[in-house]
Amino acid sequence: MRIISILTALLVIAALYGVIIERERLIGWAEAIAPAGASSSNAPAGASSSKTPAGASNSNATADASNAEEAAPAAEEATPAEDTPDGAVSVMAMRSTAQEIDGAVVLRGETQASREVEVMAETGGRVISAPLPKGSAVEAGQVLCELDPGTSGASLAEAEAALAEAQAQRPEVEARVPEAQAALAQAQAQLEEAQINLTAAEELSKNGYSSRTALASARAAQRSAEAGVSSAEAGLKAARAGRDGLEARIESARASVARAESTVADLTIEAPFDGVLESDTAELGSLMSVGTSCASVLQLDPIRLVGYVPETDVSRVTLGARAGARLTGERMVTGTVSFVARRADETTRTFRVDITLPNPDLAIRAGQTAEIGIEAEGAMAHLLPASALTLNDDGALGIRAVSAEGTARFLPVEILRDTRDGLWVGGLPESVDVITVGQEYVTDGVPVVPSFEEVIQ
């Protein structure tokens, strides 16, 4: 019994091997040994019509005619077109017609405060004012932190007293200059008189009408007048120097007063503009040094929307253009374009765009994401799948289309918008047959046989 089971298993394995592995060889062997007369059984029914009743032959003829009519279209579809050029490549294509799309430039962005500043201390001191809680609305000039004045008030009073003293000396010092000028003029007149007397004495002495004593006295008077002139000039210089020195003292005193006043003013830290506190102000009793933060202030009215537009669309964005945005929660807001960057971001190659919009109730917060649409001129475009785009040998982006001669040709395109349904591209004719499958296997001038598909909706 065991031998019979083994033989049965071997026969089954041999049969399976022949049917599966050697199937084609087995079929060929069966056709080779088939009797020649078997083919006559496959002959059409009309061949044995003499042995068939007339009624039966009529019904068979009708059936054959109907079968022939049904088979004719299938035969035509199976037969390739006679005018198909040799070497043509079969491709899939779609017939696209240009449509006008709205001119909105769509991008994503976020809200930012129009102004933001970290208010810091410009002098050191202990905080003597109660803190303001974050979220509080503040006005320009409102006190945020007040520091203990210490000796700053005394320094200011001392500087003011020095300035007052210097200014009080000004009339007296300035009066010395005219006095010195008058003394110089008198000395110069005396010198001129002495020179005249000396000249007269010398002439009289030559003629013997004057004594040597008179001549010597005239010469002494001239020297004395010259000394008086020198002394008067020195006095004038001293008066002027005293006046200039007093002016320098006054300016120094004024500078001291200004420094003292600045120090006193720095003791009171005020809000630079209307806004909202983003952080608590410094705690009462805390010690602040130069550069220590008192509070952070944000200005949210107006507020900015900041987005980044690709270089393909930046030329369509202009200053003053209207813009709308959808914030989180489906809230819609509108504003105007206030800034378009002149230099692209080095990493993303996009350009920053700022949109300013009112926010009187402060309902829009800084840092919210937004979908932004900027008004721009409309354009004619084709909606194509991204897979239809290709590159030519020069690296230009475009598509391959079917020309009127039935050959492939490359057409450059410009991407206008990227959507979920496909890419809106420009630069194409109003109607074009775009190759969607097989465009990578053909070049310009290669004959193609397109099979069309529906346009993406």
Side-chain angles (χ1 to χ4, degrees):
M1 295 298 291
R2 182 177 298 177
I3 294 174
I4 294 175
S5 300
I6 294 174
L7 291 175
T8 303
L10 292 175
L11 290 174
V12 171
I13 293 172
L16 291 175
Y17 175 81
V19 172
I20 298 175
I21 304 302
E22 301 294 339
R23 180 174 178 272
E24 295 182 358
R25 184 179 299 177
L26 184 60
I27 293 174
W29 175 76
E31 291 178 350
I33 66 175
S39 59
S40 62
S41 62
N42 296 328
S48 56
S49 58
S50 59
K51 299 180 181 180
T52 305
S57 63
N58 292 337
S59 62
N60 290 339
T62 303
D64 291 343
S66 62
N67 291 337
E69 292 177 356
E70 293 176 358
E76 292 178 358
E77 293 181 359
T79 303
E82 294 181 357
D83 58 351
T84 301
D86 295 337
V89 179
S90 297
V91 295
M92 296 292 292
M94 58 180 289
R95 182 159 293 149
S96 177
T97 302
Q99 306 175 41
E100 184 175 2
I101 60 174
D102 57 42
V105 177
V106 180
L107 61 151
R108 294 187 62 84
E110 65 175 1
T111 58
Q112 290 185 4
S114 56
R115 301 168 74 180
E116 180 177 358
V117 66
E118 192 80 13
V119 185
M120 298 184 178
E122 298 183 62
T123 187
R126 183 171 53 86
V127 179
I128 60 175
S129 60
L132 298 176
K134 56 186 175 183
S136 302
V138 295
E139 299 179 353
Q142 181 176 342
V143 177
L144 302 179
C145 299
E146 186 175 359
L147 306 182
D148 183 7
T151 60
S152 300
S155 300
L156 176 59
E158 182 179 356
E160 289 176 342
L163 175 60
E165 181 182 358
Q167 289 176 337
Q169 293 176 359
R170 174 181 284 175
E172 179 183 354
V173 173
E174 289 183 346
R176 292 175 185 173
V177 175
E179 292 177 359
Q181 291 175 340
L184 176 60
Q186 183 179 2
Q188 290 174 342
Q190 291 176 353
L191 175 59
E192 183 178 358
E193 180 182 1
Q195 288 176 343
I196 293 173
N197 292 334
L198 176 60
T199 302
E202 289 176 344
E203 291 295 329
L204 291 174
S205 177
K206 289 179 182 180
N207 297 325
Y209 296 108
S210 176
S211 63
R212 293 181 179 179
T213 305
L215 179 60
S217 176
R219 288 176 177 172
Q222 181 189 16
R223 295 190 186 98
S224 177
E226 289 176 349
V229 170
S230 298
S231 176
E233 289 176 346
L236 179 59
K237 290 181 180 180
R240 289 175 175 172
R243 183 186 61 184
D244 294 341
L246 178 62
E247 292 297 330
R249 285 175 53 197
I250 292 175
E251 292 300 324
S252 176
R254 285 175 177 170
S256 298
V257 170
R259 285 194 298 270
E261 288 177 345
S262 177
T263 301
V264 172
D266 291 341
L267 296 173
T268 303
I269 304 174
E270 301 175 346
F273 47 77
D274 296 348
V276 178
L277 290 179
E278 186 64 13
S279 63
D280 296 336
T281 60
E283 184 58 57
L284 175 66
S286 60
L287 183 63
M288 301 186 68
S289 59
V290 178
T292 304
S293 175
C294 168
S296 179
V297 183
L298 303 180
Q299 186 179 63
L300 300 178
D301 183 27
I303 198 168
R304 287 185 300 184
L305 282 173
V306 178
Y308 292 86
V309 62
E311 53 188 340
T312 56
D313 291 333
V314 68
S315 60
R316 302 172 59 203
V317 180
T318 58
L319 290 175
R322 293 187 303 173
R326 182 171 60 220
L327 305 177
T328 305
E330 300 299 321
R331 178 177 179 179
M332 301 298 297
V333 294
T334 58
T336 57
V337 176
S338 57
F339 172 76
V340 180
R342 293 290 180 178
R343 182 174 62 182
D345 183 90
E346 295 181 357
T347 303
T348 62
R349 308 308 303 167
T350 56
F351 294 82
R352 173 171 172 151
V353 176
D354 288 3
I355 300 166
T356 303
L357 57 147
N359 186 28
D361 55 356
L362 305 183
I364 305 175
R365 304 174 183 270
Q368 290 184 256
T369 57
E371 295 182 5
I372 306 171
I374 303 174
E375 186 180 58
E377 295 183 359
M380 298 299 293
H382 293 260
L383 181 61
L384 303 177
S387 59
L389 300 183
T390 185
L391 298 174
N392 64 0
D393 295 338
D394 297 329
L397 183 66
I399 56 98
R400 294 204 183 273
V402 181
S403 66
E405 295 77 17
T407 59
R409 63 170 176 165
F410 179 83
L411 297 177
V413 299
E414 177 186 1
I415 298 177
L416 301 180
R417 188 179 303 172
D418 186 0
T419 66
R420 296 178 181 177
D421 297 329
L423 297 175
W424 286 99
V425 301
L428 297 176
E430 182 177 356
S431 180
V432 63
D433 294 337
V434 182
I435 300 176
T436 56
V437 178
Q439 69 272 26
E440 301 295 343
Y441 304 102
V442 294
T443 57
D444 288 359
V446 174
V448 293
V449 180
S451 175
F452 289 93
E453 60 182 354
E454 293 183 358
V455 179
I456 294 178
Q457 298 296 329

Short mmCIF file of all heavy atoms in Angstrom, two decimals, residues 105 107 111 301-306 317-327 331-339 353-360 364 370-376:
data_model
loop_
_atom_site.label_atom_id
_atom_site.label_comp_id
_atom_site.label_asym_id
_atom_site.label_seq_id
_atom_site.Cartn_x
_atom_site.Cartn_y
_atom_site.Cartn_z
N VAL A 105 -2.68 87.20 -6.38
CA VAL A 105 -1.46 86.47 -6.03
C VAL A 105 -1.69 85.88 -4.65
O VAL A 105 -1.87 86.60 -3.67
CB VAL A 105 -0.24 87.42 -6.01
CG1 VAL A 105 1.01 86.67 -5.57
CG2 VAL A 105 -0.04 88.03 -7.39
N LEU A 107 -0.68 83.67 -1.34
CA LEU A 107 0.46 83.23 -0.55
C LEU A 107 0.03 83.08 0.90
O LEU A 107 -1.07 83.51 1.28
CB LEU A 107 1.62 84.22 -0.66
CG LEU A 107 1.37 85.66 -0.19
CD1 LEU A 107 2.66 86.28 0.31
CD2 LEU A 107 0.83 86.50 -1.34
N THR A 111 0.69 87.38 10.90
CA THR A 111 0.53 88.74 11.39
C THR A 111 1.72 89.11 12.27
O THR A 111 2.27 88.28 12.99
CB THR A 111 -0.76 88.88 12.19
OG1 THR A 111 -0.75 87.94 13.29
CG2 THR A 111 -1.98 88.59 11.32
N ASP A 301 -2.19 98.32 16.31
CA ASP A 301 -3.11 99.08 15.48
C ASP A 301 -2.38 100.28 14.86
O ASP A 301 -2.02 101.21 15.58
CB ASP A 301 -4.30 99.58 16.31
CG ASP A 301 -5.33 100.31 15.46
OD1 ASP A 301 -5.41 100.01 14.26
OD2 ASP A 301 -6.04 101.19 16.01
N PRO A 302 -2.11 100.21 13.57
CA PRO A 302 -2.44 99.13 12.62
C PRO A 302 -1.51 97.93 12.81
O PRO A 302 -0.49 98.03 13.48
CB PRO A 302 -2.21 99.79 11.27
CG PRO A 302 -1.13 100.79 11.54
CD PRO A 302 -1.40 101.31 12.91
N ILE A 303 -1.90 96.81 12.19
CA ILE A 303 -1.11 95.58 12.28
C ILE A 303 -0.64 95.21 10.87
O ILE A 303 -1.22 95.67 9.88
CB ILE A 303 -1.93 94.44 12.90
CG1 ILE A 303 -1.02 93.31 13.40
CG2 ILE A 303 -2.99 93.93 11.94
CD1 ILE A 303 -1.73 92.29 14.27
N ARG A 304 0.40 94.40 10.80
CA ARG A 304 0.96 94.01 9.50
C ARG A 304 0.73 92.53 9.23
O ARG A 304 0.78 91.71 10.14
CB ARG A 304 2.45 94.30 9.45
CG ARG A 304 2.82 95.75 9.35
CD ARG A 304 4.31 95.92 9.18
NE ARG A 304 5.05 95.35 10.30
CZ ARG A 304 6.36 95.43 10.43
NH1 ARG A 304 7.09 96.00 9.49
NH2 ARG A 304 6.97 94.91 11.48
N LEU A 305 0.49 92.23 7.96
CA LEU A 305 0.52 90.86 7.46
C LEU A 305 1.80 90.70 6.65
O LEU A 305 2.05 91.49 5.74
CB LEU A 305 -0.69 90.56 6.57
CG LEU A 305 -2.02 90.30 7.27
CD1 LEU A 305 -3.12 90.19 6.23
CD2 LEU A 305 -1.96 89.04 8.09
N VAL A 306 2.60 89.71 6.98
CA VAL A 306 3.88 89.51 6.31
C VAL A 306 3.84 88.17 5.59
O VAL A 306 3.54 87.13 6.19
CB VAL A 306 5.05 89.54 7.32
CG1 VAL A 306 6.37 89.29 6.62
CG2 VAL A 306 5.08 90.88 8.03
N VAL A 317 2.95 92.22 -7.98
CA VAL A 317 2.58 92.85 -6.71
C VAL A 317 3.08 94.29 -6.72
O VAL A 317 4.27 94.54 -6.94
CB VAL A 317 3.16 92.08 -5.51
CG1 VAL A 317 2.76 92.77 -4.21
CG2 VAL A 317 2.69 90.64 -5.52
N THR A 318 2.20 95.25 -6.48
CA THR A 318 2.55 96.67 -6.49
C THR A 318 2.16 97.32 -5.16
O THR A 318 1.24 96.85 -4.48
CB THR A 318 1.84 97.39 -7.65
OG1 THR A 318 0.41 97.22 -7.50
CG2 THR A 318 2.28 96.83 -8.99
N LEU A 319 2.87 98.39 -4.82
CA LEU A 319 2.56 99.13 -3.61
C LEU A 319 1.17 99.75 -3.72
O LEU A 319 0.79 100.27 -4.77
CB LEU A 319 3.60 100.23 -3.36
CG LEU A 319 5.00 99.77 -2.97
CD1 LEU A 319 5.93 100.96 -2.88
CD2 LEU A 319 4.97 99.03 -1.65
N GLY A 320 0.43 99.69 -2.63
CA GLY A 320 -0.92 100.25 -2.61
C GLY A 320 -1.99 99.31 -3.10
O GLY A 320 -3.18 99.67 -3.05
N ALA A 321 -1.61 98.13 -3.60
CA ALA A 321 -2.62 97.19 -4.09
C ALA A 321 -3.47 96.67 -2.94
O ALA A 321 -2.98 96.47 -1.82
CB ALA A 321 -1.94 96.02 -4.81
N ARG A 322 -4.74 96.45 -3.22
CA ARG A 322 -5.63 95.91 -2.18
C ARG A 322 -5.32 94.44 -1.94
O ARG A 322 -4.94 93.71 -2.85
CB ARG A 322 -7.09 96.07 -2.59
CG ARG A 322 -7.56 97.51 -2.64
CD ARG A 322 -9.05 97.59 -2.87
NE ARG A 322 -9.44 96.89 -4.09
CZ ARG A 322 -10.70 96.68 -4.46
NH1 ARG A 322 -11.68 97.09 -3.68
NH2 ARG A 322 -10.97 96.05 -5.59
N ALA A 323 -5.49 94.03 -0.71
CA ALA A 323 -5.20 92.65 -0.33
C ALA A 323 -6.21 92.21 0.72
O ALA A 323 -6.69 93.00 1.53
CB ALA A 323 -3.78 92.51 0.21
N GLY A 324 -6.54 90.93 0.66
CA GLY A 324 -7.42 90.33 1.66
C GLY A 324 -6.76 89.11 2.27
O GLY A 324 -5.84 88.52 1.68
N ALA A 325 -7.19 88.74 3.44
CA ALA A 325 -6.59 87.60 4.13
C ALA A 325 -7.65 86.87 4.93
O ALA A 325 -8.60 87.49 5.45
CB ALA A 325 -5.44 88.04 5.03
N ARG A 326 -7.48 85.55 5.03
CA ARG A 326 -8.35 84.73 5.86
C ARG A 326 -7.53 84.22 7.03
O ARG A 326 -6.56 83.48 6.85
CB ARG A 326 -8.94 83.57 5.07
CG ARG A 326 -9.90 82.71 5.90
CD ARG A 326 -10.64 81.70 5.05
NE ARG A 326 -9.71 80.79 4.40
CZ ARG A 326 -9.85 80.39 3.14
NH1 ARG A 326 -10.84 80.84 2.40
NH2 ARG A 326 -8.97 79.55 2.62
N LEU A 327 -7.92 84.64 8.23
CA LEU A 327 -7.21 84.24 9.43
C LEU A 327 -7.80 82.96 9.99
O LEU A 327 -8.79 82.43 9.50
CB LEU A 327 -7.28 85.36 10.48
CG LEU A 327 -6.79 86.75 10.04
CD1 LEU A 327 -6.99 87.75 11.15
CD2 LEU A 327 -5.33 86.69 9.63
N ARG A 331 -11.98 84.22 9.75
CA ARG A 331 -12.19 85.67 9.76
C ARG A 331 -11.49 86.30 8.56
O ARG A 331 -10.34 85.99 8.28
CB ARG A 331 -11.66 86.28 11.05
CG ARG A 331 -11.81 87.80 11.07
CD ARG A 331 -11.37 88.42 12.35
NE ARG A 331 -11.51 89.86 12.30
CZ ARG A 331 -11.21 90.68 13.30
NH1 ARG A 331 -10.74 90.18 14.43
NH2 ARG A 331 -11.37 91.99 13.17
N MET A 332 -12.21 87.19 7.86
CA MET A 332 -11.67 87.85 6.68
C MET A 332 -11.30 89.29 7.02
O MET A 332 -12.07 89.99 7.69
CB MET A 332 -12.68 87.83 5.53
CG MET A 332 -13.11 86.43 5.11
SD MET A 332 -11.74 85.44 4.48
CE MET A 332 -11.27 86.40 3.04
N VAL A 333 -10.14 89.73 6.59
CA VAL A 333 -9.68 91.10 6.81
C VAL A 333 -9.13 91.64 5.50
O VAL A 333 -8.74 90.87 4.61
CB VAL A 333 -8.60 91.16 7.92
CG1 VAL A 333 -9.18 90.79 9.27
CG2 VAL A 333 -7.42 90.26 7.58
N THR A 334 -9.08 92.95 5.37
CA THR A 334 -8.57 93.60 4.16
C THR A 334 -7.59 94.70 4.53
O THR A 334 -7.68 95.29 5.61
CB THR A 334 -9.72 94.19 3.32
OG1 THR A 334 -10.45 95.13 4.12
CG2 THR A 334 -10.65 93.10 2.83
N GLY A 335 -6.67 94.96 3.62
CA GLY A 335 -5.68 96.01 3.82
C GLY A 335 -5.03 96.37 2.50
O GLY A 335 -5.55 96.05 1.43
N THR A 336 -3.89 97.04 2.56
CA THR A 336 -3.16 97.45 1.36
C THR A 336 -1.70 97.06 1.49
O THR A 336 -1.15 97.00 2.60
CB THR A 336 -3.27 98.97 1.14
OG1 THR A 336 -2.79 99.65 2.31
CG2 THR A 336 -4.71 99.38 0.88
N VAL A 337 -1.07 96.83 0.36
CA VAL A 337 0.36 96.47 0.33
C VAL A 337 1.18 97.72 0.65
O VAL A 337 1.05 98.75 -0.02
CB VAL A 337 0.76 95.92 -1.05
CG1 VAL A 337 2.25 95.64 -1.10
CG2 VAL A 337 -0.02 94.65 -1.35
N SER A 338 2.01 97.65 1.69
CA SER A 338 2.81 98.79 2.11
C SER A 338 4.30 98.60 1.86
O SER A 338 5.07 99.56 1.99
CB SER A 338 2.58 99.05 3.62
OG SER A 338 2.89 97.89 4.38
N PHE A 339 4.72 97.39 1.53
CA PHE A 339 6.16 97.16 1.30
C PHE A 339 6.34 95.92 0.44
O PHE A 339 5.67 94.90 0.65
CB PHE A 339 6.88 96.97 2.64
CG PHE A 339 8.32 96.53 2.50
CD1 PHE A 339 9.30 97.43 2.12
CD2 PHE A 339 8.69 95.21 2.74
CE1 PHE A 339 10.62 97.03 1.97
CE2 PHE A 339 10.00 94.81 2.60
CZ PHE A 339 10.97 95.72 2.22
N VAL A 353 6.67 90.64 1.49
CA VAL A 353 5.58 91.58 1.20
C VAL A 353 4.87 91.90 2.52
O VAL A 353 4.49 90.98 3.25
CB VAL A 353 4.59 91.00 0.18
CG1 VAL A 353 3.42 91.96 -0.03
CG2 VAL A 353 5.28 90.73 -1.14
N ASP A 354 4.72 93.21 2.82
CA ASP A 354 4.01 93.65 4.02
C ASP A 354 2.67 94.26 3.61
O ASP A 354 2.60 95.05 2.66
CB ASP A 354 4.82 94.69 4.79
CG ASP A 354 6.03 94.08 5.48
OD1 ASP A 354 6.26 92.87 5.30
OD2 ASP A 354 6.76 94.81 6.17
N ILE A 355 1.64 93.87 4.35
CA ILE A 355 0.29 94.40 4.12
C ILE A 355 -0.17 95.04 5.43
O ILE A 355 -0.14 94.41 6.49
CB ILE A 355 -0.68 93.29 3.70
CG1 ILE A 355 -0.19 92.65 2.40
CG2 ILE A 355 -2.10 93.82 3.56
CD1 ILE A 355 -0.87 91.36 2.07
N THR A 356 -0.55 96.30 5.36
CA THR A 356 -0.99 97.03 6.55
C THR A 356 -2.52 97.07 6.59
O THR A 356 -3.16 97.38 5.58
CB THR A 356 -0.44 98.46 6.54
OG1 THR A 356 0.99 98.41 6.46
CG2 THR A 356 -0.84 99.21 7.80
N LEU A 357 -3.10 96.76 7.76
CA LEU A 357 -4.55 96.78 7.89
C LEU A 357 -4.92 97.29 9.28
O LEU A 357 -4.16 97.13 10.25
CB LEU A 357 -5.15 95.39 7.67
CG LEU A 357 -4.66 94.26 8.56
CD1 LEU A 357 -5.78 93.28 8.81
CD2 LEU A 357 -3.52 93.52 7.88
N PRO A 358 -6.07 97.94 9.40
CA PRO A 358 -6.48 98.48 10.71
C PRO A 358 -6.87 97.38 11.68
O PRO A 358 -7.35 96.32 11.28
CB PRO A 358 -7.68 99.37 10.35
CG PRO A 358 -8.22 98.80 9.08
CD PRO A 358 -7.03 98.26 8.33
N ASN A 359 -6.66 97.67 12.96
CA ASN A 359 -6.99 96.71 14.00
C ASN A 359 -7.40 97.47 15.26
O ASN A 359 -6.76 97.37 16.31
CB ASN A 359 -5.77 95.81 14.29
CG ASN A 359 -6.09 94.69 15.27
OD1 ASN A 359 -7.22 94.23 15.36
ND2 ASN A 359 -5.08 94.27 16.01
N PRO A 360 -8.47 98.28 15.15
CA PRO A 360 -8.83 99.17 16.28
C PRO A 360 -9.24 98.43 17.54
O PRO A 360 -8.99 98.91 18.65
CB PRO A 360 -10.00 100.00 15.70
CG PRO A 360 -10.57 99.15 14.61
CD PRO A 360 -9.41 98.41 14.02
N ILE A 364 -7.02 91.15 16.28
CA ILE A 364 -5.99 90.39 15.55
C ILE A 364 -4.71 90.41 16.38
O ILE A 364 -4.22 91.47 16.76
CB ILE A 364 -5.75 91.00 14.16
CG1 ILE A 364 -7.06 91.10 13.38
CG2 ILE A 364 -4.73 90.18 13.39
CD1 ILE A 364 -6.93 91.81 12.06
N ALA A 370 -2.11 83.27 8.18
CA ALA A 370 -3.14 83.83 7.31
C ALA A 370 -2.90 83.37 5.88
O ALA A 370 -1.76 83.17 5.46
CB ALA A 370 -3.13 85.36 7.38
N GLU A 371 -4.01 83.19 5.15
CA GLU A 371 -3.96 82.95 3.71
C GLU A 371 -4.25 84.28 3.03
O GLU A 371 -5.32 84.85 3.20
CB GLU A 371 -4.99 81.90 3.30
CG GLU A 371 -4.71 80.52 3.86
CD GLU A 371 -5.73 79.50 3.40
OE1 GLU A 371 -6.58 79.87 2.56
OE2 GLU A 371 -5.67 78.35 3.85
N ILE A 372 -3.29 84.78 2.27
CA ILE A 372 -3.34 86.14 1.73
C ILE A 372 -3.58 86.09 0.23
O ILE A 372 -3.01 85.26 -0.48
CB ILE A 372 -2.02 86.88 2.03
CG1 ILE A 372 -1.71 86.83 3.54
CG2 ILE A 372 -2.07 88.32 1.55
CD1 ILE A 372 -0.33 87.34 3.88
N GLY A 373 -4.44 86.98 -0.24
CA GLY A 373 -4.67 87.17 -1.67
C GLY A 373 -4.47 88.63 -2.02
O GLY A 373 -5.13 89.51 -1.46
N ILE A 374 -3.54 88.91 -2.94
CA ILE A 374 -3.21 90.29 -3.33
C ILE A 374 -3.77 90.54 -4.72
O ILE A 374 -3.55 89.76 -5.64
CB ILE A 374 -1.69 90.52 -3.30
CG1 ILE A 374 -1.13 90.21 -1.91
CG2 ILE A 374 -1.36 91.95 -3.69
CD1 ILE A 374 0.38 90.28 -1.84
N GLU A 375 -4.48 91.64 -4.88
CA GLU A 375 -5.11 91.96 -6.16
C GLU A 375 -4.05 92.23 -7.22
O GLU A 375 -3.08 92.95 -6.98
CB GLU A 375 -6.01 93.19 -5.98
CG GLU A 375 -6.83 93.53 -7.20
CD GLU A 375 -7.69 94.74 -6.96
OE1 GLU A 375 -7.13 95.81 -6.64
OE2 GLU A 375 -8.92 94.65 -7.09
N ALA A 376 -4.24 91.64 -8.40
CA ALA A 376 -3.32 91.84 -9.52
C ALA A 376 -4.10 91.66 -10.81
O ALA A 376 -5.27 91.25 -10.81
CB ALA A 376 -2.14 90.86 -9.45
#
